[in-house]
Amino acid sequence: MASSVLSLASATPSASLSSHEIEKGKLNLGNSSLCFKKEKTNPFMKTKSVGRISMAVASNVSRFEAITMAPPDPILGVSEAFKADNHELKLNLGVGAYRTEELQPYVLDVVKKADKLLLEKGENREYLPIEGLAAFNKVTAELLFGADNPVIKQQRVATVQGLSGTGSLRLAAALIERYFSGAKVLISSPTWGNHKNIFNDARVPWSEYRYYDPKTVGLDFEGMIADIKAAPEGSFILLHGCAHNPTGIDPTPEQWETIADVIQEKNHIPFFDIAYQGFASGSLDADASSVRMFVARGMEVIAAQSYSKNLGLYAERIGAINVVCSSSDAAARVKSQLKRIARPMYSNPPVHGARIVASIVGDATLFKEWNAEMEMMAGRIMNVRQKLFDSLSSKDKSGKDWSFVLKQIGMFSFTGLNKAQCDNMTNKWHVYMTKDGRISLAGLSLAKCEYLADAIIDSYHNFPLMVASNKDHMPLLFLIENALHSLTTHLCLATDAQVYWLWES
Amino acid sequence: MSTASTCATRRSWWDHVTPALKDPISAVTQAFLADPCPYKINLGVGAYRDDEGKPVVLQCVREAEAKIAASNFLESTSTALSSKLVEESAKLVYGEDSDVIKERRFAGIPALSGTGACRLFAEFQKRFYPESRIYLPDPTWPNHRNIWRNVHVPDRTFRYYHPDSKSLNFMALMDDVKNAPDGSFFLLHPCAHNPTGVDPTDEQWREISSLFKVKNHFPFFDVAYQGFASGDVERDAKAIRIFLEDGHSIACAQSFAKNMGLYGHRVGVLSVLCNDKIQAMAINSQLQQISKTMYGSPPIHGISIVSKILSDQEIKAIWLKEVKVMATRIHRMRIILREALERLGSPLNWQHITNQVGMFCFSGLNRAEVYLLEKEFHIYMTPDGRISMAGVTTKNVDYLANAIHEVTACDQDAKILHNTDAYKINTDIRFTSLGTSKARARGMNLALKPCDKIFTVLSKSMSPLIMKDSANVNSANVNNSSNDRWNPPDENHVKINFDASFNVAQRTSISGVIVRDANGYIMAAGSFPHSYVPDPEMAEARACEQAVSLARDLGFRRVIFEGDALNVISKLNNPASDLSEISVILKNIHDQRSSFLSLSFLHVKRKGNEAVHLLAKEGRKFVSKRVWIEEAPSCVEDAVISDRWWVDPVA
């Protein structure tokens, strides 16, 4: 046992180091500098000793000792804070899920019916093919592009079932990483928080294009066009097909045409994330018109779909990625590569959600019912929007123009409130929302509109920092939050205190 | 606008995307579905079938589904369901009364079945041990390699299976575990190893565990078949419990695809043992973050079914009984298949069929035999000879046994191959056995009354097949002379022979290429190493590609390429779109056609390809590629001289 004797000497320092670090880790979980270093080195790979001493050390130290808390998801954080609040007037405008007028979660009747049919049928639970349920893939592409679209007849669309919007976006991101290495994805500023994470984890470089203009609480169209023009030729431009998340601000049809012109001119690829088809206007076709216009121009387009919102199938994880190619041959090749990416990620997609969507869209009666329910949901949100605008206009005597509330579309409204004002909303008024000023109108009822209007007006006028023009502060705030985000782990746990400090200095 | 001009400069954004390699297991299913024969058997996919060959929805699943109906669309319930699933799954794998459970010393999140759980762990490993590697058993489920490669974690193999004994190569396994650098990550199958069905004994697990301890390795268990090996979920967790007793830090990927028959619902769990609750929270948050950018959360329907089954004592009891039924049926089929083969007087040893456990039987059938089973008997399995025992029923087991007996016993060459080199293709076998197939079909017709229809179908469908194959070979061979010796090209052409030698263990191959003129003199030769070669067919395709590149580089314009891989040659001569693994290579070869004034691809039997075969073997000695101009290594000398058969050897 010569080796174990030898290892005594070499193992001792590592043993003492390890226990020392355990202590530090326990005492001070928030100390990032130490932990960052540890993440990059593998103390166990370096240990040369083979004998029993290092073994004893090993059993006391977890291999994952160096792992620190990941930052909490900002949206889920809002829900948790909401749950903890006992105030009777509390209002959760954080989560982007539909609620009834009574603010209860809503299961579409048509989904209940389809689910019951499936239960009665009791079909087998065999694996789906990697690309997903054929019946689903067919209807989902038809729903997006229109059943009589030539790209469908010519089989120029590679459609692969994905795990809702996120999973579909990730497949496309991996395809970009593999076949367009170095190509950048341009995302709107601001955008859904997970977009950045998805591209980061897929190792796809991204940058932002201007989208939101805090001055008008509307679209910064010139900035958007300028940034798309300035991007290196052949970039991917991520566009929200309808009901932009989080701002609720969509380009007009004329503006879409200009966007398409610029993208075509610069040889970019349009990459649509269409998470709210039918939910924005109540009409499936109207909400898909932006995507269809690009396709009609003969452009090659990527489009990620989700059925979380428009069918309320949030947790079933059902969506699809579509790649429109210039030939059926290219589409077949792209599809095979998408399958190859999915196989080592999850093998094949879940069957239940796909069967529900396929049976609803594939059945004329259910499809009609779905359209009616969607119109009802979109209608409720539009009513709430109108009521909120009316309340704001009548209560606020300062002459501020609140019309942006009406101009925005879909589930969300971007209020233009800055972080400090949002904090006032939560702390004083018990209104929970994400700190970028986004409110989910789906979480609002007609009855609560006046209360919310009071809260917004109070926060807007009475919060001292609002004296300064918010134009200067909004981008700075975003900068800070982005910087914090990219530092991962600890800094984000520090949150409020630090943000304030940075801001005021 | 400039629309028109941009469209013209670039036809499609996706032109450089080539077809992806087909997944071998999905490819088997596709071939099976395309086969119109009513007697076809699918032994490829690892999904349970009842004795009627039908997919099964377990009673426990129906009961659970009835209880949860429609409640799972409410998003508020999903967090609670997820944590319940994780907790119940951890109990299942670590033991209800283990300290790990009592002290809640584990992190875990639901995952997309076994694949998703492995992928999460691979991403997690990459994130926190960026320089580490993963050691996979050889062989293993083919997707394991893809999973770790896709997250850029290099994979290594450790020896596991002994092809001769068709059992565990324990000594080699221990050697490889010992020789791996300290603190390596190892993937282990705790029960019902896929694809071999060979598991270590408890005693062997103990030894593996203590060696892991000494080496400070990290064991990662892929638990895809808990309950399927023995019929008892507790018994099947024994390996994990042994590691647990020894105080290892471990992680488990659990799948409920097989043992609950929830394949398409994608339910699984990844759990990682931790020191304490605080660490468990940290790891949980990291795992959640990884899944958040891949797919958000896992699908709820499957999660609610599994957590209902595991937490409702009544339903759980039904489930445990059903697992037992499934495992027992499979075990019975193993016994019947083995007995049937023995009754037929097979000269081979089939003990391993009953020694192996779980859903799969690693039959030891080689690629040629698997091919024959598919083409002649409509029996489909993966090319490595893995039989999914779940596809075997009392109705088809005799037919299957006969077919296996036919393809393994009829041909002496095949038998030798069967015993020595399970991976090698010998295309010649196909001809000898096809030649006798009619007689054989008649013989079997007598032996197997209930199946006579198939043989009329068979003999009808088979004869054109034989003719087509030989017609291909004939038309390909311009000289129309015997293709079992080397024939010189005409004065205007050079002939380039290629061959490959394939190293199964390392997945590497050597391409050998020899260029000769009409006199049979060597004009050039080359040997080229390749890595990441999945199988011999790919090795042959690579060799052909290399031959074409060499010819182009050296400026030969009129060329005949010749090799002994019939498959590759006939695919090259048949322009029909081919979606097999080698299609990418074939396309590369076709793309180079324009460099030549005349080129053709011929098949020659192995004897006629001897010289280059020796060169491909010799090439193993060289680390990098070698090219010789107007000479070749001395090892091929004799073969090149005897290839000039038309010259009097004495002169």
Side-chain angles (χ1 to χ4, degrees):
Chain A
M1 288 308 284
S3 66
S4 70
V5 177
L6 272 175
S7 69
L8 255 172
S10 62
T12 317
S14 85
S16 66
L17 175 76
S18 304
S19 56
H20 176 66
E21 281 177 352
I22 294 170
E23 265 176 40
K24 277 216 164 174
K26 278 194 180 150
L27 281 172
N28 193 354
L29 259 171
N31 189 335
S32 59
S33 62
L34 176 72
C35 296
F36 271 127
K37 253 186 221 158
K38 280 189 73 183
E39 276 173 21
K40 281 184 188 126
T41 56
N42 174 350
F44 298 96
M45 304 288 278
K46 283 198 172 161
T47 310
K48 291 282 190 295
S49 51
V50 189
R52 300 196 169 243
I53 298 297
S54 68
M55 195 180 108
V57 172
S59 62
N60 293 334
V61 180
S62 164
R63 297 289 290 271
F64 303 108
E65 193 59 39
I67 293 170
T68 54
M69 278 306 269
D73 187 271
I75 295 170
L76 297 181
V78 172
S79 298
E80 275 157 31
F82 174 75
K83 258 182 224 161
D85 189 334
N86 291 322
H87 197 271
E88 56 179 327
L89 288 171
K90 67 176 179 174
L91 202 49
N92 186 359
L93 305 180
V95 179
Y98 183 79
R99 295 287 180 272
T100 60
E101 179 63 27
E102 291 72 41
L103 300 185
Q104 293 306 307
Y106 178 63
V107 181
L108 276 78
D109 284 336
V110 70
V111 168
K112 282 186 198 153
K113 277 186 196 166
D115 195 49
K116 200 159 155 252
L117 282 177
L118 288 184
L119 190 66
E120 281 162 10
K121 267 200 227 162
E123 282 176 272
N124 72 53
R125 316 303 160 96
E126 297 284 294
Y127 296 121
L128 286 181
I130 303 173
E131 69 264 37
L133 188 71
F136 167 78
N137 286 350
K138 182 174 175 292
V139 298
T140 194
E142 288 177 356
L143 213 57
L144 180 58
F145 301 110
D148 47 0
N149 196 315
V151 291
I152 296 212
K153 284 192 195 124
Q154 296 157 5
Q155 301 187 310
R156 276 165 46 203
V157 188
T159 304
V160 171
Q161 184 185 333
L163 283 127
S164 200
T166 307
S168 309
L169 287 164
R170 177 64 180 254
L171 288 181
L175 186 76
I176 292 170
E177 195 265 339
R178 202 165 279 192
Y179 280 96
F180 298 87
S181 89
K184 234 185 348 182
V185 174
L186 263 75
I187 56 185
S188 65
S189 170
T191 190
W192 179 45
N194 210 13
H195 277 149
K196 294 172 187 175
N197 300 335
I198 291 171
F199 292 113
N200 280 345
D201 275 16
R203 299 178 183 80
V204 175
W206 53 268
S207 64
E208 293 182 318
Y209 60 82
R210 279 169 282 170
Y211 191 83
Y212 169 73
D213 183 354
K215 236 187 321 193
T216 60
V217 197
L219 181 65
D220 181 0
F221 186 61
E222 269 138 50
M224 177 185 186
I225 292 293
D227 289 348
I228 293 176
K229 254 190 197 151
E233 192 150 324
S235 296
F236 290 80
I237 313 295
L238 186 74
L239 302 160
H240 298 229
C242 64
H244 183 271
N245 177 359
T247 65
I249 300 163
D250 281 358
T252 63
E254 297 74 38
Q255 286 172 330
W256 273 122
E257 294 282 351
T258 316
I259 294 167
D261 287 343
V262 177
I263 287 179
Q264 225 162 358
E265 194 182 308
K266 290 287 294 183
N267 210 12
H268 296 319
I269 302 183
F271 181 174
F272 282 96
D273 179 3
I274 176 156
Y276 298 92
Q277 193 186 351
F279 210 85
S281 68
S283 152
L284 284 164
D285 290 329
D287 286 353
S289 57
S290 57
V291 177
R292 290 181 192 176
M293 184 269 287
F294 276 72
V295 171
R297 285 176 170 234
M299 296 169 80
E300 294 187 304
V301 170
I302 305 178
Q305 294 172 277
S306 159
Y307 290 93
S308 291
K309 323 278 172 171
N310 54 11
L311 267 175
L313 293 176
Y314 306 95
E316 297 291 341
R317 314 307 299 150
I318 178 71
I321 184 74
N322 301 276
V323 182
V324 180
C325 304
S326 62
S327 68
S328 62
D329 177 54
R333 282 181 279 124
V334 168
K335 187 169 173 179
S336 76
Q337 293 293 352
L338 287 170
K339 283 160 68 176
R340 186 177 166 205
I341 292 163
R343 176 74 168 142
M345 216 183 272
Y346 49 79
S347 274
N348 42 70
V351 68
H352 194 70
R355 279 189 184 148
I356 292 181
V357 176
S359 57
I360 292 174
V361 183
D363 180 293
T365 331
L366 289 179
F367 185 65
K368 233 168 143 185
E369 281 183 51
W370 176 38
N371 275 297
E373 278 194 281
M374 211 152 39
E375 228 170 284
M376 181 273 289
M377 291 193 289
R380 188 185 95 71
I381 291 178
M382 284 180 212
N383 288 343
V384 168
R385 218 179 249 293
Q386 185 65 46
K387 178 84 192 284
L388 178 63
F389 169 75
D390 293 346
S391 312
L392 282 168
S393 308
S394 62
K395 282 174 186 276
D396 182 30
K397 307 295 180 208
S398 73
K400 179 180 162 60
D401 179 13
W402 294 101
S403 66
F404 65 84
V405 175
L406 284 183
K407 285 184 197 143
Q408 295 167 350
I409 188 170
M411 198 180 262
F412 299 113
S413 174
F414 217 54
T415 57
L417 295 178
N418 62 33
K419 185 172 181 313
Q421 292 164 338
C422 292
D423 284 337
N424 186 54
M425 296 281 287
T426 307
N427 298 338
K428 183 169 169 193
W429 293 89
H430 305 274
V431 174
Y432 290 81
M433 56 195 285
T434 48
K435 300 300 175 203
D436 54 3
R438 182 189 86 167
I439 55 174
S440 166
L441 293 176
L444 185 64
S445 60
L446 289 173
K448 300 242 180 173
C449 280
E450 301 215 349
Y451 176 74
L452 181 65
D454 287 337
I456 291 176
I457 293 167
D458 172 62
S459 305
Y460 183 80
H461 290 298
N462 298 336
F463 202 80
L465 273 165
M466 204 46 218
V467 180
S469 118
N470 60 3
K471 193 180 108 195
D472 303 326
H473 288 296
M474 285 301 289
L476 176 66
L477 184 63
F478 275 119
L479 271 180
I480 295 167
E481 285 193 342
N482 281 341
L484 287 174
H485 226 74
S486 60
L487 283 175
T488 61
T489 54
H490 298 278
L491 284 175
C492 281
L493 281 178
T495 58
D496 293 18
Q498 258 174 343
V499 173
Y500 271 96
W501 184 80
L502 280 168
W503 196 2
E504 277 159 3
S505 65
Chain B
M1 296 233 51
S2 58
T3 321
S5 70
T6 47
C7 281
T9 48
R10 191 194 266 268
R11 201 176 64 81
S12 162
W13 273 98
W14 313 105
D15 275 344
H16 62 312
V17 179
T18 55
L21 301 186
K22 255 194 200 168
D23 183 75
I25 296 168
S26 317
V28 172
T29 310
Q30 281 171 24
F32 171 78
L33 290 176
D35 187 336
C37 175
Y39 300 92
K40 61 186 178 175
I41 308 177
N42 186 359
L43 303 177
V45 76
Y48 182 77
R49 295 287 180 273
D50 63 12
D51 203 43
E52 305 293 314
K54 293 269 185 321
V56 176
V57 179
L58 296 185
Q59 189 55 35
C60 61
V61 171
R62 290 185 200 281
E63 304 243 338
E65 235 169 17
K67 287 199 179 177
I68 58 168
S71 65
N72 52 3
F73 296 108
L74 301 174
E75 73 258 45
S76 54
T77 54
S78 66
T79 331
L81 279 175
S82 294
S83 43
K84 178 163 247 173
L85 170 73
V86 170
E87 198 183 315
E88 294 296 336
S89 309
K91 280 184 194 163
L92 198 63
V93 74
Y94 301 116
E96 208 141 330
D97 44 6
S98 70
D99 294 344
V100 177
I101 300 295
K102 282 186 205 148
E103 296 157 20
R104 282 206 67 85
R105 283 194 289 109
F106 63 93
I109 66 167
L112 293 159
S113 202
T115 311
C118 286
R119 171 71 176 237
L120 277 180
F121 184 79
E123 298 257 9
F124 180 66
Q125 182 190 338
K126 177 71 184 173
R127 203 167 275 202
F128 294 100
Y129 287 90
E131 306 303 325
S132 66
R133 290 176 292 206
I134 181 80
Y135 282 79
L136 305 172
D138 183 24
T140 190
W141 182 47
N143 208 16
H144 278 146
R145 188 166 285 116
N146 298 337
I147 291 170
W148 268 269
R149 277 191 189 164
N150 265 33
V151 300
H152 308 277
V153 172
D155 55 291
R156 297 282 183 277
T157 55
F158 61 94
R159 283 170 290 170
Y160 187 85
Y161 173 77
H162 203 291
D164 288 350
S165 65
K166 299 186 183 63
S167 61
L168 187 70
N169 193 351
F170 186 64
M171 299 300 282
L173 183 152
M174 292 296 272
D175 267 356
D176 289 352
V177 171
K178 203 180 285 166
N179 291 332
D182 284 12
S184 296
F185 287 82
F186 273 75
L187 184 144
L188 300 168
H189 303 227
C191 63
H193 180 271
N194 176 359
T196 67
V198 173
D199 284 352
T201 62
D202 289 355
E203 205 31 62
Q204 286 169 331
W205 277 121
R206 282 199 182 90
E207 286 184 45
I208 296 170
S209 171
S210 57
L211 184 57
F212 265 56
K213 210 74 231 227
V214 173
K215 294 285 295 177
N216 197 16
H217 290 325
F218 186 89
F220 173 70
F221 289 98
D222 184 0
V223 200
Y225 295 93
Q226 194 177 359
F228 242 88
S230 66
D232 176 359
V233 289
E234 291 294 313
R235 176 77 196 80
D236 284 357
K238 184 75 183 164
I240 296 165
R241 308 282 165 83
I242 288 171
F243 273 75
L244 216 52
E245 269 169 38
D246 288 353
H248 283 280
S249 173
I250 64 181
C252 286
Q254 285 172 269
S255 158
F256 294 99
K258 323 276 174 172
N259 55 13
M260 288 191 186
L262 292 176
Y263 312 94
H265 286 306
R266 318 304 300 142
V267 199
V269 168
L270 171 67
S271 56
V272 181
L273 294 198
C274 310
N275 280 357
D276 49 45
K277 268 187 182 171
I278 296 173
Q279 197 188 32
M281 272 168 64
I283 293 181
N284 249 345
S285 70
Q286 295 288 354
L287 292 174
Q288 234 132 25
Q289 201 182 46
I290 294 168
S291 69
K292 183 101 195 159
T293 65
M294 242 186 316
Y295 49 80
S297 56
I300 193 71
H301 191 75
I303 290 180
S304 40
I305 294 175
V306 176
S307 47
K308 190 84 212 169
I309 293 175
L310 292 179
S311 58
D312 184 316
Q313 288 312 314
E314 264 172 53
I315 304 184
K316 190 174 177 183
I318 301 176
W319 172 55
L320 292 176
K321 228 181 272 168
E322 288 186 292
V323 171
K324 180 101 192 154
V325 168
M326 292 193 287
T328 313
R329 188 185 92 70
I330 287 179
H331 189 66
R332 206 166 62 103
M333 284 306 131
R334 287 181 182 278
I335 297 171
I336 297 178
L337 178 61
R338 179 182 156 189
E339 283 174 358
L341 278 160
E342 282 164 358
R343 226 182 13 253
L344 288 166
S346 172
L348 302 164
N349 183 349
W350 295 104
Q351 265 179 6
H352 58 279
I353 296 181
T354 48
N355 288 347
Q356 297 169 354
V357 295
M359 198 178 266
F360 300 112
C361 166
F362 212 52
S363 63
L365 293 168
N366 63 39
R367 274 174 178 255
E369 289 158 353
V370 171
Y371 179 89
L372 273 180
L373 283 173
E374 184 177 319
K375 285 289 168 275
E376 285 198 49
F377 297 97
H378 306 265
I379 295 170
Y380 293 81
M381 64 181 77
T382 50
D384 57 4
R386 184 188 85 166
I387 293 175
S388 171
M389 290 305 297
V392 184
T393 65
T394 41
K395 293 202 184 62
N396 67 23
V397 65
D398 286 329
Y399 174 61
L400 174 66
N402 269 291
I404 293 177
H405 180 57
E406 285 296 319
V407 301
T408 54
C410 68
D411 190 289
Q412 210 56 33
D413 287 351
K415 216 184 312 170
I416 293 161
L417 266 175
H418 185 85
N419 289 334
T420 53
D421 189 351
Y423 285 90
K424 208 150 118 199
I425 314 177
N426 187 339
T427 43
D428 290 354
I429 294 173
R430 200 195 305 180
F431 293 101
T432 38
S433 40
L434 279 175
T436 58
S437 58
K438 265 194 183 167
R440 196 180 333 134
R442 266 201 306 282
M444 282 174 69
N445 207 353
L446 295 173
L448 263 173
K449 287 261 163 56
C451 290
D452 25 283
K453 256 191 205 153
I454 190 155
F455 294 106
T456 37
V457 177
L458 260 183
S459 37
K460 265 185 208 151
S461 68
M462 226 162 25
S463 9
L465 180 95
I466 304 164
M467 276 156 57
K468 205 177 118 215
D469 264 20
S470 47
N472 263 352
V473 173
N474 283 338
S475 65
N477 200 333
V478 246
N479 294 338
N480 206 14
S481 51
S482 153
N483 78 341
D484 56 19
R485 70 177 175 208
W486 191 80
N487 286 304
D490 65 48
E491 295 289 335
N492 293 326
H493 285 79
V494 293
K495 182 178 260 189
I496 305 187
N497 288 75
F498 62 87
D499 199 10
S501 72
F502 178 60
N503 184 328
V504 180
Q506 293 170 2
R507 306 283 157 178
T508 57
S509 76
I510 306 289
S511 300
V513 181
I514 297 182
V515 188
R516 277 175 280 186
D517 63 10
N519 292 317
Y521 291 128
I522 292 183
M523 303 182 71
S527 113
F528 308 86
H530 307 280
S531 43
Y532 301 111
V533 181
D535 55 37
E537 190 183 31
M538 182 63 92
E540 290 284 357
R542 284 269 171 86
C544 182
E545 185 190 25
Q546 204 64 64
V548 175
S549 310
L550 184 69
R552 197 196 53 192
D553 293 347
L554 295 177
F556 295 112
R557 307 295 298 277
R558 294 170 202 274
V559 192
I560 298 164
F561 295 97
E562 191 175 75
D564 58 10
L566 181 67
N567 220 357
V568 175
I569 299 289
S570 49
K571 278 179 181 170
L572 276 166
N573 285 325
N574 179 6
S577 74
D578 168 64
L579 286 173
S580 67
E581 292 186 12
I582 61 169
S583 60
V584 185
I585 309 275
L586 300 184
K587 188 171 178 294
N588 283 346
I589 293 173
H590 278 292
D591 288 348
Q592 298 188 39
R593 268 177 185 266
S594 56
S595 309
F596 301 96
L597 291 175
S598 147
L599 93 167
S600 51
F601 298 96
L602 299 189
H603 175 250
V604 66
K605 288 197 181 175
R606 169 68 164 280
K607 251 174 103 187
N609 214 30
E610 186 65 19
V612 72
H613 176 74
L614 293 171
L615 180 61
K617 269 189 167 169
E618 179 79 6
R620 293 178 187 173
K621 293 178 187 163
F622 313 127
V623 186
S624 55
K625 70 168 189 176
R626 294 277 175 100
V627 176
W628 298 266
I629 303 295
E630 297 194 346
E631 61 169 4
S634 53
C635 66
V636 305
E637 204 171 286
D638 289 343
V640 170
I641 291 172
S642 64
D643 275 349
R644 302 180 72 231
W645 46 270
W646 63 94
V647 185
D648 186 352
V650 189

